[in-house]
Amino acid sequence: MSMNNSSNVFLDASPNHPNRFQVNVINESHESIAAADGNHDPPHYEETSFVDEAQNRLRISFRPGNQERYDNFLQNGETAKTDASFHAYDSHTNTYYLQTFGHNTMDAVPKIDYYRNTGSISGAKMNRPSLYEIHEQLAKNVAVTPGSADRVANGDGMSGEEQTESKEEDPNAGTVKFGWVKGVLVRCMLNIWGVMLFIRLSWIVGEAGIGLGVIIIGLSVVVTTLTGISMSAICTNGVVRGGGAYYLISRSLGPEFGGSIGLIFAFANAVAVAMYVVGFAETVVDLLAESNSMMVDKTNDIRIIGSITVVILLGISVAGMEWEAKAQVILLVILLIAIANFFIGTVIPSNHEKKSRGFFNYQASIFAENFGPSFTEGEGFFSVFAIFFPAATGILAGANISGDLEDPQDAIPRGTMLAILITTVAYIGVAICVGACVVRDATGNVNDTIISGMSCNGSAACGLGYDFSRCLGQKCPYGLMNNFQVMSMVSGFGPLITAGIFSATLSSALASLVSAPKVFQALCKDNIYKALQFFAKGYGKNNEPLRGYILTFIIAMAFILIAELNTIAPIISNFFLASYALINFSCFHASYAKSPGWRPAYGIYNMWVSLFGAILCCGVMFVINWWAAVITYVIEFFLYIYVTYKKPDVNWGSSTQALSYVSALDNALELTTVEDHVKNFRPQCIVLTGGPMTRPALLDITHAFTKNSGLCICCEVYVGPRKECVKEMNSGMAKKQAWLLKNKIKAFYAAVAADCFRDGVRSLLQASGLGRMKPNTMVIGFKKNWRKAPPAEIENYVGIIHDAFDFEIGVVIVRISQGFDISQVLQVQDELEKLEQERLALEAAIKDNECEEGGGGIRGLFKKAGKLNITKQVPKKDSGINTIQSMHVGEFNQRLVEASTQFKKKQGKGTIDVWWLFDDGGLTLLIPYILTLRKKWKDCKLRIYVGGKINRIEEEKIAMAALLSKFRIKFADIHIIGDINIKPNKESWKFFEEMIEPYRLHESCKDLTTAEKLKRETPWKITDSELEAFKEKCYRQVRLNELLQEHSRAANLIVLSLPVARKATISDTLYMAWLEILTKNLPPVLLVRGNHKNVLTFYS
């Protein structure tokens, strides 16, 4: 790689170190090195290399004035040789380069191919080494060789797929790509210079005058210029592909805005083809009428000529973009000749016939007379502006074929802005010239000259010898106000103006005929409207949308045959204006979102100017036609709602996403400045589900009281060797969050890797959440297998409850009869799916292998697979619960599957029994109340159970009813339980004693030394002293279960106050025994304990 060197940019080099690599952005030569040796200016910047200074010293020097030496270093993101000089690096391998860092390395140098999208048309995407690959220790049997590490480091390595792709033919080979002149400038000029230039501009000058006429042109240009600036900023903020306005808007504002405007923009272009073709046909029919050559009648002649014309234009378009571009250039030449013909005609001396029609060449008196407005009845500034404005549109003609441009980022801004400038100058020039040469009214009678002695009305025509005073009382056929063919009259050669009209109409029709299918194809490729996917297919090297061309042709033909375009024209103009408004708004929105990814190379823009442009476009829509503007907004709003409802699976990094993030961040920060208030309390839960798909029932019941009201975080703790855990955790994060989104569960997923389960949960309890959006409640499933679990697991389980209370976080323990964990179900299903895939593969192999030899063996394998009794599975819709075939359910416990979905179903009429035994701040009451607000639980009534004294049951019932009324919580019934503290029956107590027997120490039956030794060896066991001290509490838990069996056995759900175990006092096994006996043989139970801070209030 040869580079440019000078005396001011050099590297230290020593012959003693032949392996030193000289990092230059320069070109080495003997002369420049000599010059460098003679330069002793101190360096402004010096940095040593990463390797040992004694071996290699790398010095990079920068001095003022050398910045321009780097300007040509990169071309399109790749290094380029600036001349043919020799560089030392050209003779070395990449390994030589890698050794400059002191060792062979997998690290990659910056290269554009790493930043490409998959499937990029401008080059193959390459994958740099992952952080894991360069961070983790290499395996002992793997060595970084010069043939591998250096290849990857310099971006030469490719995956298998990339190698395959590289062997395929370049998809861009042979495609036609246009530069900024042919692709953008020509198209925009042809579209902006419409038929309005030749047949309506003179009338506008006559109505509004030269002064207001120029203002009307200027106001129109302001709209298009602001839109052009905004479009230029968006175009230069990354690679632009095909789709024009749709692509720019959708990638900036997202698929909702892009999908809605893309469809109506494509339709508007298709109908515009009909409008321009009808304009051409009308001109031809007028010529036929003058020569008495009408075919049928005017309307049918327009239809015939229009139909023939659009077929010819379709043929040019289908022939390919190259032919279409050649046709556009020819039409532009004709148009330029026609405009030049007009300006030449203004200086050719006028004859008597032209003077009688109001043309007197340049006259100061005519300029002065025509400078001010002279609106006829029914016309005004805004009505004239509405007629002219469509003539200024067409600035998107180049952007619409963005996929066919060599460099859209450069071509669109340059071509569009220059086209606006040139066409504006032409419009203003024609307006001033025609206003200075032609009077407003003329009779066309050569005999209307002023004879000496005749009085005159003092008009400019009078001073020039013509009396057009009778035009004051009657309508005259000539002059700016009356004759639409003024430019033909003024021009040097009239037929050239007619040719210009033909060129303007046909070029606009051709551009629209190309734009509509291109935009429509880009919209269909993104699959926003799935029914339109058929039109996404392209043909040929240029990926021509032939199906889109046919559809556009059909739409255009339909409107040509209808021939009622005066009604549809305002709507089409408003469709284009809606696109302009959204382009301006896109630029404003992207700037306002302050995304670091918004870095447009085109710096001449301002977010507030873009917003002003958007508002101006919306205002112009109503000025042109208010009902058309309303229709446009209604259609766009409907399409926006449709796309939002369908939620297309795309992610384009839109400014809407960026602004959502900024808004969420601002709101979160603002929330931290506000103190918590009891009225705004809501359960914000951290749910220990593990993988969310493994315990769906636990997630469902939590989601039932957090959905749309509180925070829900599904948490998983990876326990084991850190390296494996972190790898597994990182690989599963996105998948599990995606599962939540797919199943419409409004929750987050969080995971940690820890040495033990309790440490991981402790980390989650402390670090989860953001600002005020932090968990205040921990939800866990009951450890059903605690009696078979090792003591360490029990200690961890009870320990996380203690930790939650330490952090002042409420606890909810959920128990269902079958348990929550369905990982076995998922595992079996995965195995079944693998077996099914194998069976299908064997079946395919049998079909492919028809030869007799070996056929029996394959059939034998297939028969073995058939014995597995596997039937074809339905594709998965979620984690797999609902997709398991009923014939397999018995293999992995049907009741477990049914239990895992019980909270997804609508709960029938029943009760939620709330046993509010201890005041925890109200959480035990709030959760069931929130549940009754949900659709699935709304038919369930609350029954409240509280403890009380037998002799005060009625009084306490009245007091509780009053409290609940103040809390505004509806209830079906209140029960005061007065016999909680009596002893349980013998059978129940016996069951409890048998349950805890394996965990008892029985130290009282042993000598003191043995007892102390056992306490040290098995600290988790229940001592006799502990059991005696808490015997009353044990009685209470057993008795409560009896009462629950008596009163709440038929409830849909039981919400019960969770007993609290005092730390270092109650053993873990005794506490688990309490929870076990308390919730045994019951419907689903929620054991709830708040943090003893109020979550209910009766104050307003």
Side-chain angles (χ1 to χ4, degrees), residues 98-162:
L98 293 171
Q99 288 174 347
T100 63
F101 294 92
H103 57 278
N104 284 348
T105 177
M106 292 287 289
D107 253 343
V109 296
K111 191 169 184 178
I112 191 173
D113 293 330
Y114 296 133
Y115 297 90
R116 299 190 192 279
N117 286 336
T118 303
S120 172
I121 60 175
S122 55
K125 174 179 172 58
M126 304 177 77
N127 295 319
R128 68 177 66 82
S130 68
L131 190 60
Y132 178 84
E133 290 171 338
I134 65 174
H135 181 236
E136 289 296 326
Q137 184 178 3
L138 286 172
K140 293 183 179 179
N141 60 343
V142 178
V144 182
T145 63
S148 60
D150 55 344
R151 183 171 60 85
V152 176
N154 287 280
D156 299 326
M158 289 188 287
S159 65
E161 288 184 6
E162 289 164 346

Side-chain angles (χ1 to χ4, degrees), residues 687-701:
V687 195
L688 302 184
T689 58
M693 63 282 291
T694 59
R695 291 177 178 81
L698 181 62
L699 181 55
D700 289 339
I701 189 63

Side-chain angles (χ1 to χ4, degrees), residues 262-278:
L263 198 59
I264 66 174
F265 184 72
F267 177 77
N269 273 284
V271 178
V273 175
M275 291 177 58
Y276 295 129
V277 168
V278 168

Side-chain angles (χ1 to χ4, degrees), residues 780 782 797-798 801-802 805 809-814 915-920 924 980 992 1030 1032-1038 1040-1041 1044 1055-1063 1066-1068 1070-1079 1085-1090 1092:
I780 58 175
F782 179 72
Y797 183 82
V798 177
I801 298 174
H802 289 309
F805 290 147
I809 291 176
V811 175
V812 177
I813 301 176
V814 188
W915 290 70
W916 194 16
L917 304 178
F918 308 106
D919 195 333
D920 60 351
T924 308
I980 292 177
F992 180 76
F1030 296 104
E1032 292 297 324
K1033 284 193 174 183
C1034 293
Y1035 283 156
R1036 182 190 301 158
Q1037 313 311 324
V1038 179
L1040 278 173
N1041 182 260
L1044 287 163
V1055 181
L1056 175 66
S1057 293
L1058 172 69
V1060 177
R1062 195 175 294 277
K1063 287 195 296 184
I1066 298 175
S1067 61
D1068 298 336
L1070 180 59
Y1071 186 61
M1072 291 303 299
W1074 286 358
L1075 300 184
E1076 174 73 34
I1077 195 65
L1078 189 59
T1079 58
V1085 178
L1086 268 63
L1087 293 167
V1088 181
R1089 175 68 68 157
H1092 285 241

Side-chain angles (χ1 to χ4, degrees), residues 186-187 190-191 193-195 198 272-284 305-314 316-317 324 327-332 334-335 498-514 560:
V186 170
R187 294 173 187 278
L190 283 169
N191 263 261
W193 277 334
V195 70
F198 297 102
V273 175
M275 291 177 58
Y276 295 129
V277 168
V278 168
F280 167 77
E282 284 179 348
T283 306
V284 174
I305 295 170
S307 299
I308 296 171
T309 304
V310 79
V311 170
I312 296 171
L313 293 177
L314 177 67
I316 296 173
S317 301
E324 187 266 349
Q328 293 280 26
V329 171
I330 294 171
L331 293 172
L332 179 64
I334 296 172
L335 195 58
T498 304
I501 294 172
F502 289 170
S503 174
T505 52
L506 292 178
S507 62
S508 297
L510 191 58
S512 297
L513 186 58
V514 170
I560 288 171

Side-chain angles (χ1 to χ4, degrees), residues 741-783:
L741 294 174
K742 188 175 182 180
N743 287 272
K744 299 180 180 179
I745 296 174
K746 297 184 178 181
F748 300 95
Y749 172 76
V752 293
D755 295 331
C756 73
F757 179 69
R758 184 176 181 182
D759 287 345
V761 175
R762 189 185 289 124
S763 299
L764 289 166
L765 290 173
Q766 294 179 87
S768 295
L770 186 68
R772 296 287 181 192
M773 295 183 293
K774 292 181 71 68
N776 53 34
T777 307
M778 180 181 72
V779 181
I780 58 175
F782 179 72
K783 191 171 181 61

